[in-house]
Amino acid sequence: MTRSPRTAPPRLAHRILGIDPGSRFTGYGVIDTDGRHSRRVASGCIRVDKAPWPDRLRLIFDEVEQLVLTHRPHELAVEQLIFARDPSAALKLGQARGAALCAALRGELTVHEYSPKSVKLAVVGTGGAQKSQVQHMVQVLLTMETSPGEDEADALAIALCHAHSMGIPGRKRMAASWRDWRP
Protein backbone atom coordinates (compact mmCIF):
# COMPACT_ATOMS: atom_id res chain seq x y z
CA MET A 1 0.00 0.00 0.00
CA THR A 2 1.44 3.37 -1.01
CA ARG A 3 0.66 6.54 0.90
CA SER A 4 0.62 9.92 -0.74
CA PRO A 5 2.98 12.50 0.80
CA ARG A 6 -0.02 14.53 2.03
CA THR A 7 -1.44 11.72 4.12
CA ALA A 8 -0.66 12.03 7.81
CA PRO A 9 1.15 9.06 9.35
CA PRO A 10 -1.11 6.71 11.31
CA ARG A 11 -1.63 7.64 14.96
CA LEU A 12 0.27 5.30 17.21
CA ALA A 13 -1.96 3.68 19.81
CA HIS A 14 -0.39 4.66 23.12
CA ARG A 15 0.66 8.05 24.54
CA ILE A 16 3.33 8.33 27.25
CA LEU A 17 4.44 11.38 29.24
CA GLY A 18 8.05 11.15 30.39
CA ILE A 19 9.22 13.41 33.22
CA ASP A 20 12.78 14.14 34.33
CA PRO A 21 12.18 15.98 37.62
CA GLY A 22 14.54 18.65 38.85
CA SER A 23 14.54 21.46 41.38
CA ARG A 24 15.49 24.07 38.75
CA PHE A 25 14.61 22.44 35.41
CA THR A 26 12.06 19.68 34.88
CA GLY A 27 12.21 18.03 31.48
CA TYR A 28 9.10 16.61 29.83
CA GLY A 29 8.49 14.55 26.73
CA VAL A 30 5.28 13.24 25.22
CA ILE A 31 5.49 10.39 22.70
CA ASP A 32 3.04 8.24 20.80
CA THR A 33 4.08 4.60 20.48
CA ASP A 34 2.97 1.12 19.58
CA GLY A 35 5.86 -0.42 21.53
CA ARG A 36 8.12 -0.71 18.47
CA HIS A 37 7.76 2.66 16.77
CA SER A 38 7.60 5.96 18.60
CA ARG A 39 6.96 9.53 17.55
CA ARG A 40 7.58 12.75 19.50
CA VAL A 41 4.41 14.75 20.17
CA ALA A 42 5.79 17.50 22.42
CA SER A 43 8.80 18.08 24.63
CA GLY A 44 10.59 20.80 26.49
CA CYS A 45 11.67 22.04 29.85
CA ILE A 46 9.79 23.62 32.76
CA ARG A 47 12.12 26.32 34.07
CA VAL A 48 11.55 27.38 37.67
CA ASP A 49 15.09 28.26 38.78
CA LYS A 50 14.44 31.90 39.73
CA ALA A 51 11.24 31.39 41.75
CA PRO A 52 11.18 30.97 45.55
CA TRP A 53 11.10 27.30 46.58
CA PRO A 54 7.36 26.86 47.36
CA ASP A 55 6.48 28.63 44.11
CA ARG A 56 8.74 26.25 42.18
CA LEU A 57 6.73 23.29 43.43
CA ARG A 58 3.46 24.99 42.47
CA LEU A 59 4.82 25.83 39.02
CA ILE A 60 5.97 22.23 38.44
CA PHE A 61 2.58 20.92 39.57
CA ASP A 62 0.65 23.41 37.39
CA GLU A 63 2.78 22.81 34.29
CA VAL A 64 2.63 19.01 34.53
CA GLU A 65 -1.11 19.18 35.16
CA GLN A 66 -1.48 21.35 32.03
CA LEU A 67 0.60 18.86 30.01
CA VAL A 68 -1.73 16.05 31.14
CA LEU A 69 -4.84 18.07 30.21
CA THR A 70 -3.44 19.18 26.86
CA HIS A 71 -1.89 15.94 25.60
CA ARG A 72 -4.02 13.32 27.38
CA PRO A 73 -1.29 10.71 27.94
CA HIS A 74 -2.24 7.18 29.01
CA GLU A 75 0.72 6.73 31.36
CA LEU A 76 3.53 8.59 33.09
CA ALA A 77 7.14 7.37 33.11
CA VAL A 78 9.46 8.99 35.62
CA GLU A 79 13.02 8.49 36.73
CA GLN A 80 13.60 6.98 40.17
CA LEU A 81 15.52 9.02 42.70
CA ILE A 82 19.20 8.19 42.92
CA PHE A 83 21.42 8.51 45.95
CA ALA A 84 22.66 12.04 46.46
CA ARG A 85 25.59 13.14 48.64
CA ASP A 86 23.81 16.32 49.66
CA PRO A 87 20.68 15.51 51.74
CA SER A 88 19.24 18.98 51.12
CA ALA A 89 19.51 18.55 47.34
CA ALA A 90 17.97 15.06 47.57
CA LEU A 91 15.06 16.44 49.59
CA LYS A 92 14.42 19.22 47.07
CA LEU A 93 14.60 16.79 44.16
CA GLY A 94 12.16 14.50 45.96
CA GLN A 95 9.75 17.38 46.50
CA ALA A 96 9.94 18.42 42.84
CA ARG A 97 9.36 14.80 41.81
CA GLY A 98 6.42 14.63 44.21
CA ALA A 99 4.83 17.73 42.68
CA ALA A 100 5.06 16.18 39.20
CA LEU A 101 3.72 12.82 40.42
CA CYS A 102 0.77 14.46 42.19
CA ALA A 103 -0.19 16.34 39.05
CA ALA A 104 -0.04 13.12 37.01
CA LEU A 105 -2.00 11.16 39.60
CA ARG A 106 -4.61 13.91 39.67
CA GLY A 107 -5.00 13.24 35.96
CA GLU A 108 -5.49 9.54 36.80
CA LEU A 109 -2.34 8.39 35.01
CA THR A 110 -0.61 5.13 35.85
CA VAL A 111 2.93 5.86 37.03
CA HIS A 112 5.96 3.77 36.02
CA GLU A 113 9.43 4.33 37.49
CA TYR A 114 12.80 3.52 35.95
CA SER A 115 16.33 3.79 37.25
CA PRO A 116 18.70 6.11 35.36
CA LYS A 117 20.75 3.04 34.42
CA SER A 118 17.68 1.29 32.96
CA VAL A 119 16.79 4.36 30.90
CA LYS A 120 20.29 4.64 29.45
CA LEU A 121 20.41 0.92 28.74
CA ALA A 122 17.06 1.02 26.90
CA VAL A 123 17.93 4.04 24.76
CA VAL A 124 21.70 3.88 24.24
CA GLY A 125 22.47 0.23 24.92
CA THR A 126 24.71 0.80 27.94
CA GLY A 127 23.76 1.79 31.47
CA GLY A 128 26.79 4.04 31.80
CA ALA A 129 26.04 6.27 28.80
CA GLN A 130 26.96 9.96 28.84
CA LYS A 131 24.32 12.72 28.56
CA SER A 132 25.49 13.54 25.02
CA GLN A 133 24.97 9.91 23.96
CA VAL A 134 21.41 9.96 25.35
CA GLN A 135 20.73 13.22 23.50
CA HIS A 136 22.05 11.78 20.24
CA MET A 137 20.07 8.53 20.47
CA VAL A 138 16.84 10.34 21.38
CA GLN A 139 17.34 12.57 18.34
CA VAL A 140 17.91 9.51 16.12
CA LEU A 141 15.11 7.34 17.55
CA LEU A 142 12.52 10.12 17.31
CA THR A 143 13.89 11.55 14.02
CA MET A 144 14.23 15.02 15.48
CA GLU A 145 15.87 17.68 13.32
CA THR A 146 17.86 19.17 16.19
CA SER A 147 19.37 17.67 19.31
CA PRO A 148 17.15 18.15 22.37
CA GLY A 149 18.49 19.82 25.51
CA GLU A 150 19.72 17.60 28.35
CA ASP A 151 16.55 17.68 30.50
CA GLU A 152 14.27 17.37 27.47
CA ALA A 153 16.33 14.43 26.13
CA ASP A 154 16.24 12.71 29.52
CA ALA A 155 12.44 13.01 29.70
CA LEU A 156 12.03 11.66 26.15
CA ALA A 157 14.47 8.84 26.98
CA ILE A 158 12.38 7.91 30.04
CA ALA A 159 9.25 7.79 27.85
CA LEU A 160 11.11 5.69 25.25
CA CYS A 161 12.35 3.34 27.98
CA HIS A 162 8.75 2.73 29.03
CA ALA A 163 7.65 2.30 25.41
CA HIS A 164 10.37 -0.31 24.85
CA SER A 165 9.37 -2.22 27.99
CA MET A 166 5.62 -2.30 27.37
CA GLY A 167 4.34 -5.85 27.64
CA ILE A 168 7.38 -7.08 29.54
CA PRO A 169 6.50 -8.45 32.98
CA GLY A 170 7.50 -6.06 35.78
CA ARG A 171 10.13 -8.30 37.38
CA LYS A 172 12.07 -8.66 34.16
CA ARG A 173 11.60 -4.97 33.26
CA MET A 174 13.30 -3.85 36.49
CA ALA A 175 16.62 -5.41 35.46
CA ALA A 176 19.11 -2.64 34.71
CA SER A 177 21.58 -4.98 33.04
CA TRP A 178 21.61 -8.46 31.54
CA ARG A 179 23.59 -9.47 34.63
CA ASP A 180 20.64 -8.42 36.84
CA TRP A 181 18.00 -10.32 34.87
CA ARG A 182 16.40 -13.32 36.53
CA PRO A 183 13.58 -15.37 34.96
Side-chain angles (χ1 to χ4, degrees):
M1 179 171 125
T2 308
R3 269 192 273 150
S4 76
R6 294 182 186 183
T7 305
R11 188 179 188 303
L12 299 174
H14 202 74
R15 185 162 284 183
I16 301 167
L17 170 60
I19 295 286
D20 178 35
S23 59
R24 295 175 44 221
F25 307 105
T26 294
Y28 68 87
V30 181
I31 64 168
D32 282 342
T33 188
D34 61 6
R36 290 189 56 174
H37 303 94
S38 298
R39 182 173 41 250
R40 178 188 162 278
V41 175
S43 60
C45 191
I46 302 166
R47 287 170 167 59
V48 296
D49 60 329
K50 298 199 188 296
W53 183 247
D55 291 340
R56 291 183 194 190
L57 299 175
R58 181 186 48 78
L59 288 167
I60 292 168
F61 179 90
D62 290 346
E63 291 293 324
V64 172
E65 184 178 47
Q66 188 59 49
L67 287 167
V68 170
L69 292 171
T70 301
H71 298 290
R72 304 257 185 237
H74 299 104
E75 297 178 294
L76 174 82
V78 65
E79 197 167 75
Q80 292 173 341
L81 286 179
I82 56 171
F83 175 77
R85 291 183 186 168
D86 179 6
S88 176
L91 184 60
K92 286 183 177 184
L93 181 58
Q95 290 173 344
R97 186 175 180 272
L101 287 174
C102 285
L105 291 169
R106 188 172 191 181
E108 300 183 3
L109 298 183
T110 304
V111 175
H112 302 274
E113 300 175 285
Y114 296 93
S115 71
K117 189 174 181 180
S118 294
V119 173
K120 292 173 183 178
L121 184 65
V123 175
V124 180
T126 177
Q130 301 296 315
K131 290 256 187 201
S132 60
Q133 292 172 302
V134 173
Q135 288 174 284
H136 175 74
M137 286 308 299
V138 165
Q139 181 181 3
V140 169
L141 291 170
L142 295 174
T143 58
M144 298 172 70
E145 290 183 23
T146 59
S147 180
E150 284 184 6
D151 298 302
E152 179 182 3
D154 287 348
L156 287 166
I158 294 163
L160 285 167
C161 175
H162 181 61
H164 294 165
S165 66
M166 287 172 36
I168 299 172
R171 196 170 79 197
K172 292 180 184 174
R173 179 176 51 222
M174 293 305 288
S177 161
W178 65 270
R179 291 180 188 98
D180 300 335
W181 187 83
R182 301 286 183 265

